[in-house]
Structures are given as C-alpha cells and as structure tokens.
Amino acid sequence: MAQLLGASGYRLTEEPALADILIVNTCGFIGPAKEESFEVLEELATHKLPGQVLIAAGCLTQRYGEEVARRVPGIDGLLGTRRWMDILEVVNGLRNGGQPEPLYHLPESPTIGKDEKGVLRAAVQGASAYLKIADGCRRPCAFCAIPLIKGTAVSRPMKTILAEAHTLQDRGVREIILIAQDTSDYGHDLGMKDGLPQLLEQIVNEASEVDWLRVLYTYPGYVTDRLIEVMAAHPQILPYLDMPLQHAHPATLKRMRRPANMEWVYRTLEKMRTAMPDLALRSTFIVGYPGETEGEFQALMDFVGEIRFDRVGTFQFSFEPGTPSEPLGDPIPAEVKQERYDRLMKLQQGISLKKNQSLIGKVLDVLIEGEGDGLLVGRSYRDAPEIDGMVIIEDSAQWKGRPTKEALIGKIIPVRITGAMIYDLSGKVDTQSGQ
Ligand code: SF4
C-alpha cells in the first residue's frame, strides 16, 4: 500500500496531525490484537481533523468489517486484507467525493498472485526484506482464525518470487526473509513436491549476492529431508529454523488438530542438528488451551527443557469465535494461563541465557541496523528481526581509522562476542577478521 501511494505522489508521515489520509493496518488474529486495533482506530477517529479521511485496512477489517464500521463511526473507508492493492481506488474515491461515502472492499476469494498490479510485494526494512511466498492457510489448527480471515493457501508463482528476489538484490538488500502462513506448504497448490527447497535453490541462484536467506513459519511434519539437505548445502541459507510446534503433549496437539507425532519431531530436530550443528531453532507454544491438564503442561515443560530451543515464543490461549475450537470454550482460568506462561518463560529464559553465554569468545557475522550512544546494534543469523534478540557492539579505540558507524549500517561485519544476556549479546568488532 505504501508503495502504491508513494508512486502516486503521496508521502509517508507517522504524525497523524500532518496526514491527509490515516491508514490503520489492523490485525484480527487474536483478541488482544483486535482490541489494540480498535483502540488505535478509536483514538484516531476521535482526533480526526477536518478533511482527513480514516481508512481501516487489514485482517480485522476483512473478518469483522461491519463491526469495525459500527464500533468506530469516524471510519471513512474499509479495505480487506485481500484487497490491499485497491488502496488508491479507495483513497481517490474518498478524497474526490467532497463528502466521502464509506467505501468497502472486502472480497470473499483470495487474490494473491492474480491481481498484484506489478507492485513489489516485499516489505523492505533497512537491509532486510520480507518476501511473501504464499498467502492463506489450508491447515486445520482448531484455535486459529487465519484460514477464516485469509482463506486457503495460494502460492505465488515461482517466477514472480524470483524476479522479486532479483529486484531486492539490485536494491542492495542483504537479507531476504521468506514468509507465508506456512512456508513449508509452498507450491502444494501449484502441484509441486518439495516446493520450498526448490524455491530456496532457485533463489540462491537468482539472488546470489544476497548474503542471508531466512525461512520463517514452517509446519511440523512438512520439514522434509530435502529441505534439511538444501538448507545445509547452501551457506547463504541461514541455519535458522522457525517451526511453531504449539505444544508437546499428543493429547493437547490432537485437540488442537495439530500434528501429534512427537517421534517425528524428535527425529527431525535431531536430523537438523546433525546436518547443521550451529542451527538456531525457534518455536512457539500455546499454554492454557482448553483441556490442558497440569500433566499435559508438564510434558510441554519437559520437552522444552530437553530440546533446549534457542528461541521460544509463548502465547496464552485466546478464544476465537468461529474457529473449530469454539465448542471447547475457554475453560482454563486466566490466572492458571498466566502461571503456566510465567513458568514456561522462566524455564526458557534460563536456557536462552546459557546458550548465549556459550557464544562468548566466538565470532559471529552481524548485520548492522542502527547506531546511537556510541554503540552499534545489529543481528546475527540467530536473530530474526523484531522477534529475536540483537547484538550490541561496544565502542572502542578500534574504530579509529575505520569506516564511520553510519557507514556500517546495512553492512555485515564480524563481531567477537564478549557478553551475554537472556535475549541479547554484546561484543566488539573483530579486528582479526580484517574488517
Ligand atoms: S498452520 Fe498456522 S496459520 Fe495455518 S491454521 Fe495452523 S496456526 Fe493457523
């Protein structure tokens, strides 16, 4: 949307009072995200200036369009997540109409790959870019509203993705992050087998100057031997894998309608760690799912303690009307959810700290993303932007005669790790490496 508007002469401001058009890209995935979206919309609607138009875009709007318009009467336009490419039409319709009539663009069918209007889909943030390879999801997870919001999985054609990877390389992007609701399902709807490894191999060829390729959101059961082989064979593909497992007790997983074969999980994690000894493994878990007994939760704790993930995200179950788990209700009391959440977080924090401490003395390549107060801040292969940690690089005399800190932003430099915190590392530029 930002690119389409930018190409039409609009400039971005993050200051609402300066804007002609206020666009809120909402999230409707879980209750707290919905409420946050409503709060932002209500706040902007309350302080809307004469002549400003307010547009609610994104997932919340797609799923609860009528409720959004009813709850926030100051909204002028609604744009569903599947029709982001109509943003100019909505903006022009609202701004040319004098007294704007609300405009609704909420289609039923998925539109990815069909009507992209030649826009670069990747979201570029500094030297990194999120490259979306598919949209929607065909998995049956009982707690999840995404299939209701996004529809079934639709993969983008490989040649479109490769062209985009090439454009990102030409723009100097150092890291491409492949995303989809389920990246391991890539190409299934196009009749491909092992679509993700095929795609990765092609990107390695097409964008060989991009230093890092990172894969997020793989689905258990679909991380194949071929994927592991391809990841291990190409240094450009980071030894980082995000596989949300959601739980570790087969009974909970069955109620979640998720893959419940824990033998597969153990076997696959072992294969991955053997093929990529430096693998950084990330997973997410839900606590307080309906029917989760103390014993089931303890099995999750044991599993997390045993596997020793590098990164773990924990969520408390959020009841979502309309999802397959609706009949199970939300029987676990909030304080039990909170207590389990705290226990799991505490366990993982101890593991994370130990893992980080084991890196002291090692040299990691770090993508520099910012500077301030005499420090540089960046990420290593172990850190996906925004969800994982960072590496803080201390200032020292070694900077003398070297590029300015500003000039290092967007570059990948070797850093010797000197300190470890729960989530983050600190270090010094490694002068031995000739940087
Ligand atoms: S795989 Fe992810 S997006 Fe798809 S239904 Fe399950 S939780 Fe939702």
Side-chain angles (χ1 to χ4, degrees):
M1 288 192 285
Q3 284 173 49
L4 282 169
L5 289 164
S8 285
Y10 287 97
R11 270 182 302 130
L12 191 68
T13 172
E14 290 183 10
E15 185 52 61
L18 300 178
D20 297 311
I21 311 156
L22 302 160
I23 301 174
V24 182
N25 204 20
T26 60
C27 177
F29 179 38
I30 52 173
K34 262 192 257 173
E35 280 320 304
E36 195 180 329
S37 297
F38 272 121
E39 274 165 29
V40 174
L41 284 165
E42 276 158 1
E43 166 83 16
L44 288 173
T46 309
H47 297 106
K48 212 169 72 169
L49 300 169
Q52 281 187 328
V53 296
L54 174 58
I55 297 170
C59 293
L60 180 76
T61 310
Q62 178 77 44
R63 190 164 176 220
Y64 300 105
E66 284 179 12
E67 185 189 337
V68 171
R70 202 176 50 244
R71 233 176 106 171
V72 192
I75 289 174
D76 303 293
L78 294 175
L79 185 64
T81 188
R82 300 185 205 162
R83 295 245 40 116
W84 57 270
M85 64 291 281
D86 290 346
I87 185 68
L88 278 175
E89 216 176 296
V90 173
V91 163
N92 293 338
L94 290 172
R95 298 195 78 212
N96 296 339
Q99 190 62 28
E101 288 293 316
L103 270 175
Y104 287 64
H105 281 233
L106 303 171
E108 286 311 309
S109 57
T111 50
I112 189 171
K114 293 182 193 147
D115 190 13
E116 301 189 4
K117 299 189 177 164
V119 189
L120 183 70
R121 290 291 307 269
V124 182
Q125 281 177 14
S128 295
Y130 291 97
L131 177 48
K132 191 161 228 189
I133 61 173
D135 205 13
C137 188
R138 68 185 177 100
R139 307 290 182 208
C141 312
F143 51 79
C144 183
I146 283 183
L148 299 172
I149 299 170
K150 293 271 188 178
T152 191
V154 181
S155 302
R156 300 179 71 200
M158 196 184 286
K159 71 173 190 335
T160 316
I161 300 172
L162 294 179
E164 202 155 298
H166 200 86
T167 307
L168 293 170
Q169 169 175 278
D170 291 347
R171 288 190 183 189
V173 161
R174 303 261 60 90
E175 175 186 35
I176 292 180
I177 303 163
L178 301 189
I179 52 166
Q181 274 73 30
D182 171 8
T183 49
S184 49
D185 198 32
Y186 175 75
H188 176 269
D189 54 312
L190 304 175
M192 294 166 77
K193 189 175 175 299
D194 269 328
L196 179 60
Q198 281 188 52
L199 178 66
L200 281 166
E201 281 189 309
Q202 294 292 326
I203 298 178
V204 165
N205 288 330
E206 191 63 36
S208 56
E209 287 160 31
V210 172
D211 302 84
W212 289 356
L213 270 178
R214 188 187 296 278
V215 180
L216 294 183
Y217 319 132
T218 58
Y219 188 79
Y222 291 79
V223 172
T224 60
D225 290 354
R226 181 80 191 118
L227 176 60
I228 298 173
E229 228 174 83
V230 168
M231 286 181 71
H234 298 280
Q236 209 181 337
I237 306 172
L238 296 179
Y240 174 101
L241 197 82
D242 171 41
M243 182 162 65
L245 291 165
Q246 310 301 7
H247 213 279
H249 195 288
T252 328
L253 286 165
K254 277 190 189 132
R255 285 197 306 281
M256 288 178 164
R257 303 194 191 171
R258 297 269 306 177
N261 182 350
M262 290 307 292
E263 264 173 43
W264 179 92
V265 173
Y266 280 107
R267 217 173 40 241
T268 305
L269 295 183
E270 199 184 309
K271 269 189 215 164
M272 296 193 73
R273 282 179 161 162
T274 307
M276 294 172 272
D278 291 332
L279 180 72
L281 198 54
R282 175 182 181 82
S283 196
T284 47
F285 298 99
I286 296 174
V287 297
Y289 188 75
E292 185 193 51
T293 61
E294 178 56 31
E296 289 176 11
F297 174 70
Q298 195 51 54
L300 172 59
M301 291 281 285
D302 294 346
F303 173 73
V304 169
E306 185 184 345
I307 297 295
R308 301 177 62 76
F309 293 92
D310 295 81
R311 316 284 186 197
V312 165
T314 307
F315 296 89
Q316 297 182 34
F317 172 70
S318 165
F319 175 78
E320 293 306 314
T323 56
S325 73
E326 183 174 358
L328 302 178
D330 189 9
I332 308 253
E335 48 295 357
V336 175
K337 285 183 191 168
Q338 183 66 44
E339 191 258 342
R340 289 180 183 169
Y341 172 89
D342 292 342
R343 270 156 74 196
L344 185 55
M345 290 296 281
K346 195 158 172 240
L347 169 67
Q348 178 59 32
Q349 283 170 355
I351 296 170
S352 292
L353 182 61
K354 287 228 168 64
K355 288 218 157 204
N356 278 351
Q357 284 167 339
S358 74
L359 293 166
I360 293 177
K362 297 209 163 121
V363 176
L364 296 179
D365 281 344
V366 174
L367 173 58
I368 304 298
E369 296 188 308
E371 58 95 24
D373 293 337
L375 301 171
L376 282 169
V377 176
R379 289 180 291 110
S380 77
Y381 79 94
R382 300 173 71 246
D383 312 306
E386 293 177 33
I387 48 174
D388 294 325
M390 53 189 174
V391 183
I392 300 156
I393 302 153
E394 301 155 30
D395 203 355
S396 74
Q398 63 188 280
W399 288 110
K400 287 201 186 92
R402 297 188 170 276
T404 61
K405 293 193 193 66
E406 291 80 2
L408 287 171
I409 292 176
K411 303 251 177 341
I412 294 177
I413 58 172
V415 172
R416 187 167 298 274
I417 303 305
T418 52
M421 292 153 272
I422 291 174
Y423 300 112
D424 305 325
L425 294 167
S426 59
K428 292 189 157 92
V429 176
D430 186 47
T431 44
Q432 318 274 299
S433 309
Q435 291 284 320

Coordinates of all heavy atoms in Angstrom, one line a residue, residues 156-164 186:
R156 N 2.4 -17.9 -4.6 CA 2.8 -17.0 -5.7 C 3.6 -17.8 -6.7 O 4.4 -18.7 -6.3 CB 3.6 -15.8 -5.2 CG 2.8 -15.0 -4.2 CD 3.7 -13.9 -3.7 NE 3.9 -12.9 -4.7 CZ 4.9 -12.0 -4.7 NH1 5.8 -12.0 -3.8 NH2 4.9 -11.1 -5.7
P157 N 3.5 -17.5 -8.0 CA 4.3 -18.3 -9.0 C 5.8 -18.1 -8.7 O 6.2 -17.0 -8.3 CB 3.9 -17.6 -10.3 CG 2.7 -16.9 -10.1 CD 2.6 -16.5 -8.6
M158 N 6.5 -19.2 -8.9 CA 8.0 -19.1 -8.6 C 8.7 -18.0 -9.4 O 9.5 -17.3 -8.8 CB 8.6 -20.4 -8.9 CG 10.0 -20.5 -8.2 SD 10.9 -21.9 -8.5 CE 10.2 -23.2 -7.6
K159 N 8.3 -17.8 -10.6 CA 9.0 -16.8 -11.4 C 8.7 -15.4 -10.9 O 9.6 -14.5 -10.9 CB 8.7 -16.9 -12.9 CG 7.4 -16.5 -13.4 CD 7.4 -16.6 -15.0 CE 6.3 -16.0 -15.7 NZ 5.0 -16.0 -15.1
T160 N 7.6 -15.1 -10.3 CA 7.3 -13.8 -9.7 C 8.2 -13.6 -8.5 O 8.7 -12.5 -8.3 CB 5.8 -13.7 -9.3 OG1 5.0 -14.3 -10.3 CG2 5.4 -12.3 -8.9
I161 N 8.3 -14.7 -7.7 CA 9.1 -14.6 -6.5 C 10.6 -14.4 -6.8 O 11.3 -13.5 -6.2 CB 9.0 -15.8 -5.6 CG1 7.5 -16.0 -5.2 CG2 9.9 -15.8 -4.4 CD1 7.2 -17.3 -4.5
L162 N 11.0 -15.1 -7.9 CA 12.5 -15.0 -8.3 C 12.7 -13.6 -8.8 O 13.8 -13.0 -8.5 CB 12.8 -16.0 -9.3 CG 12.8 -17.5 -8.8 CD1 13.1 -18.5 -9.9 CD2 13.7 -17.7 -7.6
A163 N 11.8 -13.1 -9.6 CA 12.0 -11.7 -10.1 C 12.1 -10.7 -9.0 O 12.9 -9.8 -9.0 CB 10.8 -11.3 -11.0
E164 N 11.3 -10.9 -8.0 CA 11.3 -10.0 -6.8 C 12.6 -10.2 -6.0 O 13.2 -9.2 -5.6 CB 10.1 -10.3 -5.9 CG 9.7 -9.2 -5.1 CD 8.3 -9.2 -4.7 OE1 7.4 -9.1 -5.5 OE2 8.0 -9.3 -3.5
Y186 N 4.7 -24.3 0.6 CA 4.8 -23.6 -0.7 C 4.7 -24.5 -1.9 O 5.4 -25.5 -1.9 CB 6.2 -22.8 -0.8 CG 6.3 -22.2 -2.1 CD1 5.6 -21.0 -2.4 CD2 7.1 -22.8 -3.1 CE1 5.6 -20.5 -3.7 CE2 7.1 -22.2 -4.4 CZ 6.4 -21.1 -4.7 OH 6.4 -20.5 -5.9

